[in-house]
């Protein structure tokens, strides 16, 4: 079958297992996937969905890192940790079920805190995915990845809302473009009824490049009246994300349905702070948004996790245009949106 970028051949068993994927995006893309080493930080509901998708895609190795214990809250959307694992480390509790999804992928669990890891820890990975993190931890992980040219993704789900951020640096990818070729008509002197036009389609692979904005800049945009009007549809989830990040920084956790009354009140206070700091209208976030931000809803995790998994596959394989740089999902409206904040 040939070698991947690490010189390791794809075995017959792997070729059989990944046959559908190879037919979909090609053998070379599958080889790149087979050589990729992924780190997922955070094993709550969205982290579990991402891990599932990556293991099924056929990456080389997946490391799940989380220093938190399994809680009752996890059972809403975290399907990798069994109920009998309540109180145990979340990464270690998720190991067995994740490995069972695909024995050909090397899956490991790390119960340490990412902030305690040395800079050299990230050298072993091609892609880092940070989920459920506060803004300071996100930026810290991101800056370390950017310095080492490691592809970086961030994601989170808060109630009916979710997002993904990606920075692939200066990214090269290929796309297939189809062009319809019109054959020349037969001699002009022939009767019209005898003239024939035969169309055919030609497919060619085109190399393209794109560059991503930094996470820090994307999270600290200024919104003048001109900028607000320049955006086709200002995604309210972006501003809800800012509120959630501020909540995490203040309380060290996500909003919780078990503390509904106090957390909703706090979210509304933080909304006023965020929108005032950004100097934009409070009306850009619905008045009742707070009651829709509690816990992780499994359907939202599945949708956002599916997008993140797809984007990582595209980033690693170098095939097809990536989403640059935010994807936002609004479960109340039932739609997703891509927007680039710089």
């Amino acid at each position: 079958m040939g070698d991947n970028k690490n010189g390791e051949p794809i075995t017959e068993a792997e070729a059989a297992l990944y046959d559908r994927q190879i037919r979909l995006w090609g053998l070379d893309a599958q080889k790149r996937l087979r050589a990729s080493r992924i780190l997922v930080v955070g094993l709550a509901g969205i982290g579990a969905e991402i891990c599932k998708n990556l293991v099924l895609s056929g990456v080389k190795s997946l490391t799940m890192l989380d220093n938190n214990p399994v809680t009752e809250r996890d059972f809403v959307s975290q399907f990798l940790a069994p109920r009998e694992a309540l109180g145990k480390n979340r990464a270690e509790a998720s190991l067995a079920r994740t490995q069972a999804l695909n024995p050909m992928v090397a899956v490991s669990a790390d119960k340490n805190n990412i902030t305690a890891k040395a800079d050299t820890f990230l050298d072993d990975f091609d892609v880092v995915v940070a989920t459920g993190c506060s803004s300071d931890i996100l930026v810290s992980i991101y800056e370390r990845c950017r310095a080492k040219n490691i592809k970086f993704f961030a994601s989170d789900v808060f109630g009916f809302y979710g997002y993904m951020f990606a920075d692939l640096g200066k990214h090269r990818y290929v796309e297939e473009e189809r062009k319809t070729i019109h054959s020349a008509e037969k001699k002009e002197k022939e009767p019209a009824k005898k003239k024939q036009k035969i169309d055919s389609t030609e497919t060619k692979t085109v190399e393209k490049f794109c560059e991503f904005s930094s996470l820090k800049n994307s999270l600290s945009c200024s919104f003048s009246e001109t900028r607000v009007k320049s955006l086709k549809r200002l995604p309210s989830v972006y501003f809800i994300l800012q509120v959630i990040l501020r909540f995490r920084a203040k309380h060290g956790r996500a909003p919780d349905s078990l503390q509904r009354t106090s957390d909703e009140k706090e979210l509304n206070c933080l909304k006023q702070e965020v929108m005032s700091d950004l100097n934009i209208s409070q009306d850009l976030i619905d008045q009742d948004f707070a009651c829709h931000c509690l816990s992780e809803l499994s359907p939202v995790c599945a949708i956002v996790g599916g997008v993140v998994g797809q984007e990582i596959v595209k980033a690693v394989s170098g095939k097809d245009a990536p989403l640059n740089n935010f994807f936002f999902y609004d479960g109340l409206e039932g739609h997703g949106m891509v927007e680039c904040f710089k």
Side-chain angles (χ1 to χ4, degrees), residues 149-168:
N149 294 318
I150 298 171
K151 295 176 174 60
F152 175 85
F153 291 83
S155 185
D156 202 358
V157 166
F158 24 95
F160 284 86
Y161 309 107
Y163 88 99
M164 178 205 74
F165 171 86
D167 184 357
L168 310 181

Side-chain angles (χ1 to χ4, degrees), residues 3-9 31-37 60-61 126:
D3 292 346
N4 61 23
K5 70 180 183 181
N6 282 351
E8 300 173 359
K31 286 180 180 179
R32 295 188 188 97
L33 268 176
R34 178 62 181 81
S36 60
R37 303 157 300 169
K60 179 178 182 178
S61 66
D126 303 298

Side-chain angles (χ1 to χ4, degrees), residues 171-298:
H171 182 60
R172 169 193 170 278
Y173 64 97
V174 295
E175 274 189 318
E176 290 186 351
E177 293 186 354
R178 292 186 177 183
K179 181 180 180 182
T180 300
I181 302 173
H182 303 284
S183 63
E185 292 186 349
K186 289 192 174 182
K187 296 179 180 180
E188 293 294 333
K189 295 182 180 180
E190 291 185 1
K193 64 180 181 179
K194 290 187 177 181
K195 292 181 180 180
Q196 298 181 11
K197 184 185 290 185
I198 302 175
D199 295 340
S200 61
T201 301
E202 180 183 82
T203 302
K204 62 178 181 179
T205 300
V206 180
E207 184 179 58
K208 298 183 178 182
F209 297 86
C210 64
E211 190 166 355
F212 289 71
S213 179
S214 75
L215 175 65
K216 194 170 184 178
N217 289 343
S218 298
L219 289 177
S220 58
C221 290
S222 59
F223 288 89
S224 62
E225 184 177 347
T226 302
R227 179 175 174 81
V228 170
K229 291 181 178 179
S230 70
L231 293 173
K232 295 179 180 178
R233 294 178 302 164
L234 202 59
S236 63
V237 182
Y238 174 80
F239 303 108
I240 296 174
L241 168 62
Q242 298 279 10
V243 175
I244 297 297
L245 289 175
R246 195 164 295 196
F247 185 100
R248 282 188 177 277
K250 186 174 181 179
H251 298 281
R253 60 175 178 84
D256 195 337
S257 59
L258 297 177
Q259 304 179 55
R260 175 181 294 275
T261 302
S262 59
D263 281 5
E264 286 185 12
K265 182 178 179 180
E266 178 70 3
L267 286 168
N268 280 301
C269 291
L270 292 175
K271 168 196 168 183
Q272 294 179 10
E273 289 182 13
V274 168
M275 305 309 267
S276 177
D277 290 347
L278 294 175
N279 196 28
I280 55 178
S281 171
Q282 300 279 338
D283 295 337
L284 288 173
I285 297 180
D286 291 338
Q287 290 184 344
D288 60 348
F289 89 101
C291 66
H292 302 303
C293 290
L294 307 176
S295 299
E296 287 183 301
L297 299 182
S298 55

Side-chain angles (χ1 to χ4, degrees), residues 69-73 75 82-88 93:
V70 177
T71 66
E72 290 282 357
R73 187 176 185 271
F75 299 136
R83 287 188 173 272
E84 56 268 25
L86 185 67
K88 297 180 180 179

Side-chain angles (χ1 to χ4, degrees), residues 312-325:
I312 293 173
V313 168
K314 287 160 61 177
V316 170
S317 66
K319 190 166 185 179
D320 296 329
L323 299 183
N324 187 355
N325 56 0

